Amino acid sequence: MAEADELLKIWSTLVPTEGETWALARPGPPLEAVAARLSSVPRSFLDDEVSITALSGDVAGVACAAAAHAADPRVRRGAAIGLWLLASEQLVEPFRPALAGPWAVRAVDALALRVAPVVDPLDWLADDERREEAARTFVLWAGFLPAGEDRATAQALWQARDSLRRSSALAEAYAAYEHREEIARRLAEARAREAAARYSSE
């Protein structure tokens, strides 16, 4: 089983910073509806024999990044629960607005690679606060704010529930990974601009 900080490092390479994600978030479905749906995940989704790669392909049309790390039971369960949230829009009823948008797979990976390494996904099913944390994380990384919450309120409530922030060692490691990835992105953008400028002046 991978160490939590290894999985958080993988997550930090996949996504924009939390600040960018908050800045782009738009009004979404009610948090209570997402949390209630999360608590009703079918046993078949939690079956260890089900391939996350295949399940992700069936539900989202592509393999989530977490599928490559699904040998870790926390990652596997986290991804399966996230995929249930997406699948439930067809099997139960759509959220309003629907979560199944361009960032839906990223939200699955957020549960599997950011939350699951810190809090066992089975706790999301049994504990109200941990379920709210998972629901808030999924909604955020799918590109939304919970219905009725402005950005500042949603961010404060998410941070109050965020288990990663409660673990100072993991929080520091994650902040360092996120910072390095942001620097790498900026350097890549600067190189691309320089190359474009050279090309256009030739």
Side-chain angles (χ1 to χ4, degrees), residues 58-124:
D58 289 346
V59 171
V62 295
C64 58
H69 309 281
D72 186 311
R74 299 165 301 178
V75 172
R76 197 221 161 279
R77 285 192 291 266
I81 292 170
L83 289 165
W84 159 247
L85 287 175
L86 295 184
S88 73
E89 294 206 277
Q90 299 221 347
L91 299 173
V92 181
E93 65 176 331
F95 294 107
R96 288 183 172 72
L99 290 174
W103 294 350
V105 174
R106 188 176 72 178
V108 171
D109 287 325
L111 289 186
L113 298 171
R114 190 193 185 282
V115 184
V118 185
V119 178
D120 189 314
L122 294 179
D123 290 347
W124 310 347

Side-chain angles (χ1 to χ4, degrees), residues 23-200:
L24 294 172
R26 58 204 190 282
L31 186 72
E32 299 76 21
V34 178
R37 191 80 54 88
L38 191 151
S39 69
S40 67
V41 59
R43 194 175 296 273
S44 58
F45 273 72
L46 298 175
D47 185 340
D48 290 340
E49 300 304 311
V50 174
S51 161
I52 291 298
T53 302
L55 185 60
S56 185
D58 289 346
V59 171
V62 295
C64 58
H69 309 281
D72 186 311
R74 299 165 301 178
V75 172
R76 197 221 161 279
R77 285 192 291 266
I81 292 170
L83 289 165
W84 159 247
L85 287 175
L86 295 184
S88 73
E89 294 206 277
Q90 299 221 347
L91 299 173
V92 181
E93 65 176 331
F95 294 107
R96 288 183 172 72
L99 290 174
W103 294 350
V105 174
R106 188 176 72 178
V108 171
D109 287 325
L111 289 186
L113 298 171
R114 190 193 185 282
V115 184
V118 185
V119 178
D120 189 314
L122 294 179
D123 290 347
W124 310 347
L125 308 180
D127 181 275
D128 291 344
E129 190 169 314
R130 300 287 62 83
R131 183 163 47 254
E132 181 182 338
E133 175 185 5
R136 286 187 176 281
T137 300
F138 191 91
V139 168
L140 169 64
W141 290 103
F144 295 102
L145 303 170
E149 294 180 7
D150 62 24
R151 204 174 312 279
T153 301
Q155 190 167 8
L157 290 171
W158 178 69
Q159 288 175 348
R161 299 285 184 273
D162 186 16
S163 295
L164 178 56
R165 279 184 170 70
R166 294 179 184 188
S167 170
S168 57
L170 284 176
E172 282 179 30
Y174 178 66
Y177 299 144
E178 190 177 49
H179 180 66
R180 280 198 293 274
E181 287 305 315
E182 178 61 14
I183 289 172
R185 271 193 285 273
R186 288 183 185 176
L187 286 172
E189 288 168 6
R191 285 193 205 101
R193 283 193 299 273
E194 287 172 16
R198 275 198 306 274
Y199 179 77
S200 61

